[in-house]
């Protein structure tokens, strides 16, 4: 959970079993290896860490920084830049992300659906350049497809589509 206020961007964890919230810390506090310029609109979990792509409103070279957040049960341990995903040439604002079991990170960046290999830290590639603007992405282990919620129009905001991870082709689900 990322909470945004005028003074901080708080990262927390919600436990469904105990119905309790634990604040892990302020992502915008000084002292981290990387401090986000604004609240991330997405987080993806892989191999015990959280990841997001930084977005900076006025500096293109800061729009493709892959950031890793390391957490313990009670606090943020580290927040650091892993690498530039797109050679400092920037990306559209990433609005959604998910990771599959192989470590492939899928990113919704404007009308582009991209993938990046987190295990090898290489190969940012386009899946589709004509994708809807996804506000949420989920990878389903049971069938190997991505699922997304589309934020492009008010009529499609509550709809779920199945997305082919190799082509970005979508099929309306519900």
């Amino acid at each position: 959970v990322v909470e945004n206020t005028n003074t901080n961007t708080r990262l927390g964890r919600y436990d469904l079993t105990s119905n309790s919230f634990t604040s892990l810390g302020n992502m915008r506090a000084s002292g981290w290896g990387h401090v986000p310029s604004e609240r991330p609109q997405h987080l993806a979990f892989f191999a015990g860490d959280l990841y997001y792509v930084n977005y900076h409103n006025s500096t293109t070279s800061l729009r493709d920084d892959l950031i890793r957040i390391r957490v313990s049960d009670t606090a943020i341990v580290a927040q650091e830049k892993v690498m530039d995903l797109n050679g400092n040439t920037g990306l559209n604002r990433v609005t959604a992300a998910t990771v599959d079991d192989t470590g492939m990170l899928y990113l919704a960046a404007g009308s582009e659906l991209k993938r990046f290999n987190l295990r090898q830290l290489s190969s940012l590639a386009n899946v589709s350049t004509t994708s809807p603007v996804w506000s949420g992405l989920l990878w389903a282990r049971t069938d190997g497809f991505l699922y997304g919620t589309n934020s492009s129009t008010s009529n499609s905001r509550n709809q779920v589509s199945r997305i082919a991870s190799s082509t970005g082709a979508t099929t309306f689900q519900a």
Side-chain angles (χ1 to χ4, degrees), residues 49-52 66-70 78-82:
D49 296 322
L50 293 168
Y51 291 86
Y52 68 92
L66 178 64
I67 309 301
R68 177 178 43 227
I69 305 172
R70 296 180 187 265
Q79 184 174 210
E80 58 212 3
K81 178 179 171 178
V82 176

Side-chain angles (χ1 to χ4, degrees), residues 2-157:
V2 178
E3 174 190 45
N4 191 38
T5 69
N6 290 333
T7 57
N8 70 53
T9 301
R10 183 171 66 153
L11 180 66
R13 183 184 68 235
Y14 187 79
D15 186 320
L16 292 171
T17 305
S18 65
N19 196 28
S20 62
F21 177 81
T22 302
S23 178
L24 300 175
N26 181 2
M27 293 170 62
R28 294 182 81 174
S30 60
W32 301 124
H34 174 82
V35 176
S37 52
E38 63 179 53
R39 177 184 62 88
Q41 293 189 6
H42 63 284
L43 291 172
F45 182 79
F46 179 69
D49 296 322
L50 293 168
Y51 291 86
Y52 68 92
V53 177
N54 187 57
Y55 186 81
H56 194 281
N57 199 34
S58 60
T59 308
T60 301
S61 66
L62 299 177
R63 292 182 190 164
D64 69 340
D65 295 347
L66 178 64
I67 309 301
R68 177 178 43 227
I69 305 172
R70 296 180 187 265
V71 296
S72 70
D73 289 341
T74 58
I76 298 172
V77 176
Q79 184 174 210
E80 58 212 3
K81 178 179 171 178
V82 176
M83 67 180 296
D84 293 312
L85 290 176
N86 203 28
N88 272 339
T89 59
L91 294 170
N92 290 320
R93 183 186 306 266
V94 176
T95 55
T98 192
V99 182
D100 70 15
D101 281 347
T102 68
M104 194 62 67
L105 172 66
Y106 294 90
L107 303 167
S111 62
E112 298 176 326
L113 180 62
K114 296 183 174 287
R115 67 176 170 242
F116 176 77
N117 189 322
L118 276 174
R119 286 193 193 274
Q120 298 175 357
L121 295 178
S122 64
S123 304
L124 179 68
N126 283 326
V127 175
S128 173
T129 58
T130 58
S131 175
V133 178
W134 300 111
S135 59
L137 287 175
L138 172 72
W139 177 74
R141 178 178 295 123
T142 54
D143 64 8
F145 282 93
L146 301 172
Y147 288 83
T149 56
N150 180 339
S151 64
S152 297
T153 68
S154 60
N155 292 337
S156 63
R157 285 193 180 132

